[in-house]
Amino acid sequence: MCSFLKKMGITLLVFVSASASANDVQQMVKNADNYRQDYLAAKVVSQVSLFKNDRLDKTRQYHVYTRPNRESLVVFKSQVEAGQKMLMLGDNYWLLMPKSRRPIRITPMQKLLGEASVGDISTLTWSEDYQATLVAQSQQTNQLRLESVTQGASYERIDLWLDAKTDFPIKADLYLRSGKLAKQALFEQGERDGQTRVVSMTLLDKIQPAKKTLITYQQITPHELEEKYYNPAYLTRNLDSEL
Amino acid sequence: MKRLWGLFVSLYALGLNAQEIAFEWDWMVSASSIQHQRFVLLGEHQRHDTQALDALLDVEISGYNWTGLLAAKGSQLLSNDSAAEYEGELVVQELFWQGEATLFDLPVDLTAGKLRLDWGVGYGYRPLDIFKPYRRNPVGIQVEEGALTVMGSYFDMQGDWSLVVSDSSFTQQAGSKLEEATEQTGMGFRRYVLMGESEWQVLAYYDNVRHGLVGTSLVSVLDPAWAVHSSALYQRQYVTYQHNAWYQPVTLDTQDHGYQVLLGVNWANEIGNNIIVEYWYDSRSWSQSQWDQASERVKVLNAQGSTRALTRSYAQGLESANLVQHNLLFHWTLDANAWSHWEWSNHLTWLNRLTPTVDLLYSPQDGGVVATQWLDYQAYDSGNASFNIEMALRFMSGEKDSIYATLSDKSMIFINFKGRF
């Protein structure tokens, strides 16, 4: 009985996968990305609230300057982190600590660490980091499996549920390299500049259920920084109070 | 001192009203207890232990292209050593201007002023920290000053070109005789390049102490978990303490051809373990035979009353950047969030505020070990202000005749209260 159900499951998975071409699935992911961030280069102002047992524990504020090819500069704006910056160029990462004039090269693993993982704040698109396949369909949702294709992807695997009609992201299960379910993301729909957009993301910690993170996208505007801001040697320049 | 605190209160009030100027405040109160032992080069310490309380308040002020980093340091606020006197200092760690200009149709970024410029790579030691080297991995309060610097940088698609003129003699804090003798004025350049997953730099610098140096470094990330780093530096001349004849003290002398080499590997996993292993060699430090000779001479000189005064000169060997030529370092730290990955600690959410760090510095030539442990607990963090409590322990250990095991400060315990706002 058990093996019969297994065979049925596999047949269903193959059928579902075959019914949508790879191009269609990648387009679904791109559509979902556009609800989060649809500019080529943008400034994202986000407020992060960390809750413990449903009580606000601390807040953080970040300005993220993203551009194509998985390049972004994260400027830490909270008073306790002021002066800290992280530069991400593909799978290369540098961290500049407050009051320091020496950028530190860090590995993709080190980038994942921290209470409000910088990866959760800085990555607003999936299509550049993940290869998607369709694993299940219903009248309301399409369930996609996203496998990482880059070293720097924040999660090894993502199970993503999209609205079947609009491709708006509904929720995502985020898995570590060890295969452990780390977080579940819930996306809130709202309006920004007259368009339907993801206005906030709630991350439920599946390893420590007492913890919850709310990331609110306060402002997303088209913004192109000068080329030199994406140069690791430029990180120590302190002319960024306007960033 | 009252005027000093008045200045800081005024700066804080200004920060509340000034929108164009950013203020970042840090403070630290450090209580320490140091256990002493008899050190062959210094003789018997006057006290068995010393307890002291020190404090620091610093602020970085930035705006209108200017950055200033000011520190108010109070040493020996309290002490059980009646000979130790309270000392208050206001130190301008940095004060520099940064701007842009066009030279020969090229956009050039300029920096001028007192600046803590450090091109070194590495954790335990950074050979390319050539202007005014930082003291490394402190357990208590430490205030680092910059060197007077004028630098022009051109940023291209690969990295940058920098031309720099520097003078490290404009310092307020008293340094050792060796530090004062190596204060330099010079100029040089650096080329930094990012190429794929690797970054390298080469630099050349000429000053009135080293009379020419060249250095290079390479940092490469191999995969998500592993990275390697290395650096090397050659200098035409260096200043060091030299042994002389039996009945003469050691003296500062200039030697030819100094070099330092560092190799390191860094590993991290997704749970939050981070390990660094480094080896470095410093040809300027005393060799094992020089330390043995110093120890042997001190024993003989101590035996005669008339020559006893000479023995203290050998203790100046401790002023070197590295006490021994060969150094091996192991560093481990655990990210505070790692505790949630284990079942036994999963429900203890307070552990998510605790960051342990261990450093082991080993001297292969004589078997000495310096073991340092930090336990940092984040007691409060709202986003606007934070407060941490840190306990730092340092033990000198290893082979009983090794330099580290025989240092006069046998063990140190520091309780540090730190905050940001």
Side-chain angles (χ1 to χ4, degrees):
Chain A
M1 183 67 182
C2 187
S3 85
F4 172 75
L5 283 176
K6 207 171 171 181
K7 276 180 191 163
M8 280 292 288
I10 290 167
T11 312
L12 191 65
L13 194 67
V14 170
F15 172 76
V16 167
S17 298
S19 69
S21 75
N23 284 344
D24 291 343
V25 177
Q26 277 311 113
Q27 190 55 49
M28 285 181 196
V29 178
K30 279 188 181 153
N31 292 343
D33 280 347
N34 286 341
Y35 286 111
R36 302 172 80 199
Q37 203 283 94
D38 59 344
Y39 301 114
L40 274 177
K43 175 183 179 181
V44 181
V45 177
S46 46
Q47 166 96 24
V48 176
S49 307
L50 295 124
F51 295 86
K52 208 170 267 182
N53 294 317
D54 285 328
R55 283 180 57 188
L56 182 63
D57 187 38
K58 63 184 81 164
T59 58
R60 293 282 185 265
Q61 190 151 35
Y62 302 93
H63 291 182
V64 183
Y65 296 85
T66 64
R67 66 178 196 176
N69 300 321
R70 300 165 52 233
E71 297 189 340
S72 54
L73 174 69
V74 182
V75 184
F76 296 64
K77 300 302 281 187
S78 301
Q79 192 61 30
V80 295
E81 294 180 324
Q84 191 169 326
K85 286 185 262 185
M86 185 181 275
L87 178 64
M88 310 185 191
L89 304 178
D91 292 331
N92 298 304
Y93 308 94
W94 291 263
L95 183 66
L96 183 77
M97 296 305 288
K99 298 183 182 174
S100 165
R101 312 287 168 235
R102 195 171 65 88
I104 304 165
R105 181 76 183 267
I106 61 170
T107 59
M109 281 293 180
Q110 288 170 292
K111 184 206 75 165
L112 300 178
L113 306 175
E115 209 151 24
S117 167
V118 180
D120 291 330
I121 297 137
S122 60
T123 311
L124 279 92
T125 56
W126 291 298
S127 51
E128 286 187 302
D129 280 315
Y130 296 92
Q131 181 70 44
T133 48
L134 185 67
V135 293
Q137 279 184 303
S138 71
Q139 278 197 323
Q140 285 79 36
T141 61
N142 289 326
Q143 187 190 340
L144 274 54
R145 173 152 298 174
L146 276 57
E147 308 274 358
S148 76
V149 290
T150 62
Q151 286 189 356
S154 295
Y155 301 97
E156 182 69 9
R157 190 186 111 203
I158 296 175
D159 286 345
L160 177 64
W161 284 263
L162 303 180
D163 185 290
K165 289 197 183 82
T166 63
D167 292 332
F168 188 90
I170 296 164
K171 71 169 183 174
D173 286 345
L174 312 170
Y175 292 86
L176 299 176
R177 282 179 171 77
S178 60
K180 200 180 237 185
L181 175 61
K183 294 170 191 169
Q184 185 174 67
L186 305 172
F187 302 93
E188 190 193 340
Q189 187 170 317
E191 210 169 87
R192 192 167 48 237
D193 303 326
Q195 307 276 328
T196 301
R197 290 289 177 262
V198 172
V199 291
S200 71
M201 172 169 76
T202 302
L203 292 166
L204 305 172
D205 195 315
K206 291 294 175 182
I207 297 171
Q208 277 196 312
K211 287 160 74 173
K212 184 176 86 174
T213 306
L214 173 65
I215 302 175
T216 310
Y217 304 109
Q218 295 178 320
Q219 189 195 344
I220 300 182
T221 48
H223 192 107
E224 210 164 325
L225 277 182
E226 273 185 78
E227 181 66 36
K228 61 189 178 185
Y229 280 93
Y230 294 94
N231 188 325
Y234 194 77
L235 272 178
T236 55
R237 303 283 297 175
N238 216 23
L239 293 173
D240 47 31
S241 51
E242 74 277 8
L243 285 180
Chain B
M1 194 65 189
K2 271 183 188 167
R3 264 183 286 173
L4 200 151
W5 289 111
L7 171 71
F8 273 73
V9 169
S10 307
L11 284 173
Y12 182 68
L14 181 66
L16 294 178
N17 298 308
Q19 298 296 313
E20 305 294 322
I21 304 174
F23 291 76
E24 293 159 29
W25 296 85
D26 279 274
W27 62 268
M28 181 166 165
V29 174
S30 177
S32 63
S33 175
I34 300 173
Q35 306 293 313
H36 307 293
Q37 65 179 355
R38 186 182 187 281
F39 180 38
V40 67
L41 301 184
L42 286 171
E44 199 67 55
H45 201 281
Q46 288 172 336
R47 304 186 59 83
H48 175 258
D49 61 73
T50 307
Q51 275 118 39
L53 186 74
D54 304 323
L56 173 76
L57 175 66
D58 75 49
V59 58
E60 181 176 294
I61 309 163
S62 50
Y64 301 105
N65 290 13
W66 282 89
T67 301
L69 180 57
L70 310 175
K73 186 173 82 165
S75 305
Q76 326 274 6
L77 295 173
L78 296 170
S79 176
N80 67 341
D81 183 355
S82 54
E85 282 187 9
Y86 164 75
E87 194 184 344
E89 282 179 289
L90 177 64
V91 182
V92 180
Q93 292 177 262
E94 291 186 306
L95 183 61
F96 59 88
W97 170 88
Q98 290 184 316
E100 295 164 349
T102 304
L103 289 177
F104 307 112
D105 289 334
L106 290 175
V108 176
D109 287 80
L110 300 169
T111 303
K114 192 176 181 183
L115 173 72
R116 293 173 303 151
L117 184 64
D118 176 5
W119 286 334
V121 299
Y123 171 80
Y125 181 55
R126 293 192 292 277
L128 302 191
D129 185 9
I130 59 169
F131 302 104
K132 193 176 182 315
Y134 282 35
R135 282 159 288 174
R136 305 181 304 272
N137 307 328
V139 282
I141 286 175
Q142 180 174 305
V143 175
E144 293 296 344
E145 287 183 68
L148 214 54
T149 305
V150 177
M151 182 169 70
S153 300
Y154 169 68
F155 296 93
D156 60 17
M157 295 302 281
Q158 282 81 42
D160 85 320
W161 294 90
S162 287
L163 193 64
V164 63
V165 178
S166 148
D167 183 336
S168 67
S169 62
F170 285 81
T171 51
Q172 292 171 260
Q173 298 175 104
S176 67
K177 259 174 79 178
L178 181 62
E179 279 174 330
E180 283 170 13
T182 52
E183 284 172 351
Q184 55 80 27
T185 306
M187 68 180 297
F189 81 94
R190 172 182 91 140
R191 173 62 172 152
Y192 163 84
V193 169
L194 170 66
M195 204 182 266
E197 313 296 308
S198 303
E199 54 186 324
W200 57 262
Q201 61 180 333
V202 289
L203 57 91
Y205 190 77
Y206 188 90
D207 63 47
N208 57 342
V209 175
R210 293 165 286 196
H211 298 281
L213 66 83
V214 286
T216 185
S217 74
L218 174 73
V219 179
S220 195
V221 173
L222 306 176
D223 68 16
W226 291 90
V228 290
H229 58 273
S230 60
S231 59
L233 181 128
Y234 165 80
Q235 58 195 80
R236 280 181 64 206
Q237 294 188 340
Y238 63 97
V239 180
T240 186
Y241 283 102
Q242 279 297 304
H243 294 198
N244 293 310
W246 265 90
Y247 294 104
Q248 287 180 331
V250 296
T251 49
L252 273 176
D253 195 13
T254 301
Q255 298 285 308
D256 292 331
H257 310 303
Y259 60 97
Q260 298 130 63
V261 181
L262 178 137
L263 298 166
V265 61
N266 183 9
W267 174 84
N269 71 352
E270 67 183 0
I271 288 177
N273 286 290
N274 185 21
I275 290 172
I276 300 170
V277 178
E278 282 179 348
Y279 164 80
W280 67 91
Y281 175 79
D282 187 346
S283 74
R284 301 166 305 169
S285 306
W286 282 1
S287 64
Q288 182 61 36
S289 60
Q290 282 174 300
W291 278 114
D292 289 343
Q293 187 183 56
S295 177
E296 190 187 328
R297 286 187 177 186
V298 164
K299 276 178 201 156
V300 174
L301 294 170
N302 256 334
Q304 304 164 42
S306 59
T307 56
R308 198 165 292 153
L310 289 172
T311 60
R312 286 202 161 239
S313 76
Y314 286 89
Q316 293 174 115
L318 303 176
E319 292 176 9
S320 311
N322 295 295
L323 295 192
V324 291
Q325 289 186 330
H326 298 275
N327 301 270
L328 197 58
L329 179 105
F330 171 85
H331 162 87
W332 168 79
T333 190
L334 184 70
D335 187 79
N337 286 292
W339 305 104
S340 60
H341 287 266
W342 298 300
E343 217 162 281
W344 67 269
S345 53
N346 188 286
H347 62 286
L348 304 170
T349 52
W350 64 270
L351 274 174
N352 288 148
R353 296 171 178 272
L354 190 69
T355 306
T357 303
V358 173
D359 277 7
L360 290 173
L361 178 62
Y362 175 65
S363 161
Q365 63 192 60
D366 65 3
V369 175
V370 180
T372 312
Q373 179 200 302
W374 291 266
L375 267 179
D376 184 79
Y377 183 75
Q378 189 181 72
Y380 174 77
D381 181 350
S382 66
N384 290 320
S386 66
F387 171 53
N388 285 43
I389 303 168
E390 178 187 70
M391 185 172 72
L393 308 169
R394 178 164 284 173
F395 301 99
M396 310 300 169
S397 184
E399 293 292 328
K400 69 177 172 51
D401 293 328
S402 64
I403 294 304
Y404 292 145
T406 54
L407 289 173
S408 62
D409 294 343
K410 178 72 181 158
S411 65
M412 308 173 191
I413 300 175
F414 283 76
I415 306 287
N416 300 321
F417 302 93
K418 302 189 286 190
R420 295 206 92 202
F421 59 95

